[in-house]
Structure formats: structure tokens, C-alpha cells
Amino acid sequence: MPNMKSNIIEDETGICKVTHYVHANPVHHGFVAKLSDWKYSSYNTYLSNTSTKISRQIIVDIFGGKEYFTKYHQQPVALKYKWDE
């Protein structure tokens, strides 16, 4: 069984970090070159205006809107993600 860890996300900064980490993981591992290329990701759904079951507006609002969501996701992700940062 893979080594997994769980932590409580306590604030909006934590939500941003975890969302970014999850979306950037396929790029980090070399499966795709861009976040938007991973077809299994919710990244494109957060930026889309099409109907979805994902409560995306809550997350997009935490980032400050779609523009800031996109800018945040353009940052590099640390190789060793730390929940306590």
C-alpha cells in the first residue's frame, strides 16, 4: 500500500496550496507539460463556465477569481510539499 498522509486544512491558504499541489502533480511527474493537458484533472473545470457538479465558485473565490487562480497555478510547486508551511 502506498505511503499516504492526511492533515486537516485549517485555512484558505491551505486550500490554495493543496489545490495547486494536486493540479500540478501530473506536471511534476512528467505525465504532461501543462496543467491543462491532464484530462483527469479538475483544473480546466475550475476555469470553465460549463455546467458541473463541482462547487468550483467557492474555490475560485478563495483564490480571488479565475485570473488569480491561474496565476497561482503558474508558480512552481516545491518538490517536497509540506502541510505546515
Side-chain angles (χ1 to χ4, degrees):
M1 192 145 199
N3 185 13
M4 301 178 89
K5 183 178 180 181
S6 65
N7 289 76
I8 296 171
I9 300 170
E10 297 185 22
D11 56 24
E12 291 180 351
T13 300
I15 291 171
C16 293
K17 286 181 179 184
V18 171
T19 302
H20 181 215
Y21 177 79
V22 169
H23 288 155
N25 221 14
V27 176
H28 171 72
H29 290 287
F31 296 124
V32 292
K34 299 183 305 187
L35 299 173
S36 58
D37 291 343
W38 188 245
K39 69 180 183 177
Y40 306 106
S41 174
S42 59
Y43 176 77
N44 292 322
T45 304
Y46 281 104
L47 298 174
S48 173
N49 291 323
T50 59
S51 180
T52 181
K53 292 182 180 184
I54 295 175
S55 299
R56 63 179 167 219
Q57 197 57 51
I58 296 166
I59 300 297
V60 170
D61 288 346
I62 289 171
F63 279 90
K66 288 182 182 180
E67 178 184 350
Y68 293 106
F69 179 88
T70 303
K71 283 183 181 182
Y72 192 100
H73 279 72
Q74 291 171 352
Q75 301 178 84
V77 175
L79 293 178
K80 292 187 177 185
Y81 181 78
K82 293 184 180 177
W83 293 83
D84 316 315
E85 294 182 316

